[in-house]
Amino acid sequence: MNDHFADIFTETACPSQDKLLAYVKGELSASERHEVEMHLQDCELCSEAVEGLSAISRKDQIPGWLRQAKWNVLHSLRRKNRRKKKRTTTSTSPSWR
C-alpha cells in the first residue's frame, strides 16, 4: 500500500474505532468508559460516530462495514492520485511533432 495513504485513519488523539465500538456495546471498564465520555464532550466527530454506531442494530457487522468503507476510500484516493500523476506526466512530456 502507498505510504501516503497508509495512516489516514490512525493519526489522531481520538479513541480507536474498536474502542468506540466497545463503548457502544457496553464492553469497556468504568475507567475506559469515563475516558471515552470525556473525549466525546470535546470531539464532535467521535460524538457523531458514536451516535451513528448506537443506531445500528447489527453491531456484529460494523467491523466488516468499517473495513469495507476504509478500503473504498483508500481505493478512491489511489485512483485519483494515479489520474493526477498521469495528467502531470502527460502535460510535461515533450511534444515530438
Side-chain angles (χ1 to χ4, degrees):
M1 179 183 340
N2 185 331
D3 289 335
H4 179 72
F5 301 122
D7 293 325
I8 64 173
F9 293 106
T10 58
E11 296 290 329
T12 69
C14 297
S16 69
Q17 66 187 30
D18 291 335
K19 191 168 213 171
L20 289 178
L21 183 56
Y23 173 79
V24 168
K25 292 168 122 182
E27 298 174 345
L28 297 180
S29 67
S31 63
E32 289 174 312
R33 195 170 50 251
H34 177 72
E35 179 184 310
V36 170
E37 288 169 349
M38 294 299 292
H39 177 78
L40 294 175
Q41 289 180 7
D42 297 324
C43 184
E44 186 176 344
L45 180 65
C46 287
S47 295
E48 290 181 12
V50 165
E51 184 179 333
L53 291 171
S54 298
I56 297 172
S57 60
R58 301 275 324 259
K59 292 179 180 30
D60 59 316
Q61 293 183 345
I62 293 172
W65 294 335
L66 291 173
R67 278 190 303 276
Q68 184 64 42
K70 181 178 179 179
W71 187 90
N72 289 343
V73 168
L74 291 174
H75 181 70
S76 178
L77 288 171
R78 281 190 212 114
R79 197 175 32 211
K80 287 180 182 180
N81 195 32
R82 276 184 292 214
R83 276 187 257 154
K84 184 178 177 182
K85 282 182 181 180
K86 187 176 181 178
R87 279 195 310 260
T88 303
T89 305
T90 305
S91 65
T92 59
S93 297
S95 177
W96 301 101
R97 295 183 185 178

